[in-house]
């Protein structure tokens, strides 16, 4: 089979790495790819959001299966476009991708189907939103409804901050049209976890749990980022809790989307806050998480290509997945200044050794001759398996010690929450 992966980050490197292991694959392409992906796949110079050029390429090359990494092409309708052309593609339709592309849609959907989430109100009028935030308890969360590359959520400590957030999103339009409508919601307290499920429109399989580290600095300090590291499994998600999330969140989404004539195919990612009143949904994404994918796929023993094909063809029912019981940890090495402005073009050294149970996924790199240069904010994801979470952490950090590029920064506490829980038992 000829496979095309769309995207250029650490998630897509992990997808290519896993897909390449499938005996079903004869040729792997990635558009546009990165410096690490280039060693596994033929990189094609088409941007991930140029969905017409991607469909033309898939048509010309007779691609048997396309796998979409990022959300922008999904929300733009890439799956509908490919399917109209008779091309197989793994991901949700434009209508189903509204679960991620519109927070207003997603919150109203959860209300219709009684899925646990923070209490909220939605607004298209800035004056009404400003009046509302004067009546609410704090902290309060203000969210741009549309896609904002993970930056559209503002946690406000008082009414002044809330009004400022409304002004920035609705009047100054810092997230452009993504800020045409707003969700304002209750602040939830608890520990977060990411629960991903693969779905074929009617059936689904929940994947192993994971946890992201969104803030830039140790102990969850500083601004939010795309994700500075992850681990799997997340011990905060006990087997009983995972079952509860499958029943109260994933199952009603799949059933509800089918009922609303937007059947969900692809990866449903539920960002969950585990509160004292049980799990509540923070957000849905309609794709693999980044960096969650980097810690989930090394633990998946089953053939990912066969699994994705089964989802595309509506054959997930009765399938079971096989998992490596070991823990996996990914430490993201980022450019200095990230998530603000950062330099690119720095030469990276020390990461091309062979280590047992460690893979270095590239996120923002490019190949120039024999050198690998930084080209993004998140640069590498050093990913290690270990018999337990402590050993996985040790294995990953041992490799980060050898890698270097000017200005690099990374968190030193990836996995510590899981380690504390493991020690408490
Ligand atoms: P989202 O993109 O909606 O998941 O929001 C990004 C991050 O903001 C989440 O991972 C949480 O850390 C935080 N967040 C979002 N909504 C809430 C909420 N209602 N209460 C507390 N934190 C939240
Ligand atoms: N790890 C967060 C995301 O993929 O959106």
């Amino acid at each position: 089979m000829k496979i095309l992966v769309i995207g250029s980050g650490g998630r897509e490197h992990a997808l290519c790495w896993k897909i390449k292991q499938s005996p079903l694959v004869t040729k792997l392409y990635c558009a546009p790819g990165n410096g690490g992906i280039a060693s596994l796949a033929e990189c094609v110079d088409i941007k991930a959001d140029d969905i017409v050029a991607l469909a033309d390429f898939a048509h010309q090359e007779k691609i048997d299966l396309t796998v979409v990494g990022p959300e922008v092409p999904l929300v733009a309708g890439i799956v509908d476009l490919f399917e109209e052309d008779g091309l197989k593609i793994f991901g949700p339709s434009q209508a189903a991708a509204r679960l991620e592309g519109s927070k207003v849609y997603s919150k109203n959907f959860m209300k219709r189907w009684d899925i646990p989430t923070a209490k909220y109100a939605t607004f298209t009028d800035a004056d009404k939103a400003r009046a509302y935030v004067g009546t609410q308890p704090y902290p309060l969360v203000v969210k741009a409804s549309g896609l904002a590359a993970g930056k559209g959520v503002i946690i406000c400590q008082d009414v002044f901050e809330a009004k400022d957030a409304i002004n920035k999103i609705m009047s100054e339009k810092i997230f452009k049209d993504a800020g045409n409508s707003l969700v304002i919601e209750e602040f939830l307290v608890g520990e977060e976890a990411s629960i991903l499920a693969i779905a074929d429109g009617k059936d689904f399989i929940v994947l192993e749990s994971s946890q992201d580290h969104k803030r830039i600095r140790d102990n969850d300090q500083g601004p939010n980022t795309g994700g500075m590291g992850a681990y799997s499994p997340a011990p905060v998600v006990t087997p009983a809790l995972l079952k509860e999330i499958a029943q109260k969140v994933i199952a009603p989404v799949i059933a509800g989307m089918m009922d609303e004539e937007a059947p969900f195919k692809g990866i449903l990612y539920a960002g969950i806050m585990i509160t004292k009143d049980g799990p509540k949904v923070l957000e849905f994404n309609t794709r693999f998480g980044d960096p969650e994918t980097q810690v989930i796929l090394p633990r998946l023993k089953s053939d990912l290509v066969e699994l994705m094909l089964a989802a595309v063809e509506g054959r997930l029912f009765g399938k079971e997945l096989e998992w490596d019981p070991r823990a996996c940890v990914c430490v993201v090495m980022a450019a200095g200044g990230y998530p603000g402005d950062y330099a690119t073009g720095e030469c990276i050294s020390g990461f091309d050794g062979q280590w047992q149970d460690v893979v270095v996924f590239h996120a923002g790199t490019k190949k120039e001759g024999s050198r690998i240069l930084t080209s993004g904010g998140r640069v590498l994801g050093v990913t290690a398996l270990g018999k337990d979470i402590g050993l996985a952490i040790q294995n990953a950090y041992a490799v980060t010690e050898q890698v270097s590029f000017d200005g690099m920064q990374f968190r030193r506490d990836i996995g510590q929450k899981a380690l504390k829980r493991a020690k408490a038992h």
Side-chain angles (χ1 to χ4, degrees):
M1 288 179 70
K2 287 177 158 184
I3 312 254
L4 167 65
V5 172
I6 295 174
S8 60
R11 165 183 52 208
E12 288 76 17
H13 191 182
L15 281 165
C16 287
W17 173 84
K18 180 68 184 163
I19 287 170
K20 189 83 181 185
Q21 293 168 26
S22 168
L24 296 170
V25 178
T26 51
K27 175 87 191 177
L28 181 60
Y29 296 94
C30 187
N34 66 33
I37 293 172
S39 64
L40 293 170
E42 184 174 329
C43 291
V44 186
D45 191 18
I46 306 175
K47 291 211 172 69
D49 54 4
D50 192 350
I51 65 175
V52 173
L54 289 166
D56 286 346
F57 175 80
H59 193 84
Q60 259 169 32
E61 292 298 322
K62 300 195 171 58
I63 299 292
D64 297 295
L65 178 68
T66 298
V67 179
V68 188
E71 60 277 18
V72 171
L74 294 170
V75 170
I78 191 171
V79 170
D80 311 66
L81 191 67
F82 271 55
E83 286 181 348
E84 277 161 26
D85 205 4
L87 293 160
K88 280 191 184 153
I89 182 162
F90 179 77
S93 66
Q94 188 170 35
R98 279 179 302 175
L99 281 174
E100 174 163 6
S102 165
K103 288 190 192 291
V104 170
Y105 172 84
S106 165
K107 293 295 285 193
N108 291 340
F109 175 88
M110 285 189 262
K111 196 182 203 170
R112 286 197 290 282
W113 295 93
D114 209 14
I115 296 167
T117 187
K119 290 197 197 76
Y120 73 103
T122 66
F123 298 91
T124 49
D125 179 310
D127 287 335
K128 286 191 180 143
R130 277 188 283 263
Y132 175 80
V133 298
T135 65
Q136 295 301 303
Y138 283 81
L140 188 67
V141 187
V142 176
K143 300 184 174 186
S145 178
L147 292 184
K151 301 192 184 97
V153 173
I154 305 177
I155 294 171
C156 307
Q157 299 303 331
D158 55 43
V159 65
F160 302 104
E161 286 184 18
K163 286 188 176 169
D164 188 48
I166 295 166
N167 291 344
K168 288 204 166 96
I169 296 174
M170 285 200 126
S171 311
E172 293 167 30
K173 288 269 162 96
I174 58 168
F175 305 119
K176 306 204 173 73
D177 284 353
N180 289 351
S181 39
L182 280 185
V183 169
I184 301 183
E185 70 179 28
E186 156 198 32
F187 180 77
L188 297 176
V189 178
E191 193 171 334
E192 282 182 51
S194 304
I195 303 299
L196 279 64
I198 182 165
D200 68 2
K202 52 188 195 309
D203 292 300
F204 66 89
I205 307 172
V206 177
L207 308 185
E208 290 275 284
S209 63
S210 58
Q211 195 177 57
D212 189 4
H213 297 65
K214 290 222 163 79
R215 306 292 200 94
I216 185 75
R217 283 194 287 279
D218 287 9
N219 303 313
D220 298 329
Q221 302 294 310
N224 261 337
T225 68
M228 292 300 289
Y231 59 83
S232 173
V236 64
V237 184
T238 58
L241 197 54
L242 192 61
K243 209 166 155 193
E244 184 181 348
I245 294 167
Q247 279 169 358
K248 292 190 178 159
V249 177
I250 309 294
V253 172
I254 304 305
M257 292 304 279
M258 195 156 65
D259 192 84
E260 297 191 7
E261 291 175 7
F264 193 94
K265 277 189 190 186
I267 295 290
L268 176 68
Y269 164 140
I272 302 279
M273 186 71 91
I274 296 153
T275 74
K276 64 175 179 21
D277 304 320
K280 294 191 179 176
V281 176
L282 290 168
E283 63 162 345
F284 287 121
N285 295 319
T286 58
R287 48 160 176 88
F288 280 105
D290 189 345
E292 287 91 335
T293 306
Q294 289 88 313
V295 291
I296 291 174
L297 292 185
R299 299 190 55 228
L300 178 66
K301 287 185 165 174
S302 313
D303 185 334
L304 180 63
V305 174
E306 162 49 25
L307 184 66
M308 292 191 292
L309 265 183
V312 170
E313 294 168 358
R315 300 187 277 108
L316 277 187
F317 183 77
K319 264 201 182 305
E320 283 186 13
L321 299 183
E322 208 188 328
W323 294 97
D324 187 328
R326 290 178 296 171
C328 192
V329 168
C330 171
V331 179
V332 171
M333 309 192 75
Y338 175 79
D341 293 338
Y342 53 82
T344 57
E346 304 293 354
C347 188
I348 315 170
S349 65
F351 68 101
D352 45 6
Q354 291 288 324
W355 301 278
Q356 202 177 351
D357 296 331
V358 176
V359 199
V360 179
F361 292 123
H362 292 218
T365 71
K366 68 172 184 212
K367 212 168 167 188
E368 220 175 71
S370 60
R371 298 189 313 161
I372 297 283
L373 306 179
T374 68
S375 66
R378 291 189 290 175
V379 175
L380 299 171
V382 177
T383 306
L385 286 159
K387 214 163 155 311
D388 57 36
I389 183 76
L391 290 170
I393 293 171
Q394 261 179 36
N395 289 345
Y397 279 103
V399 172
T400 62
E401 294 309 320
Q402 300 176 40
V403 175
S404 95
F405 53 90
D406 268 2
M408 83 183 176
Q409 51 167 341
F410 58 93
R411 278 178 62 159
R412 306 274 167 175
D413 66 340
I414 303 301
Q416 288 302 320
K417 281 189 197 135
L419 194 59
K420 269 199 200 107
R421 273 180 201 275
K423 282 187 176 152
H425 280 121

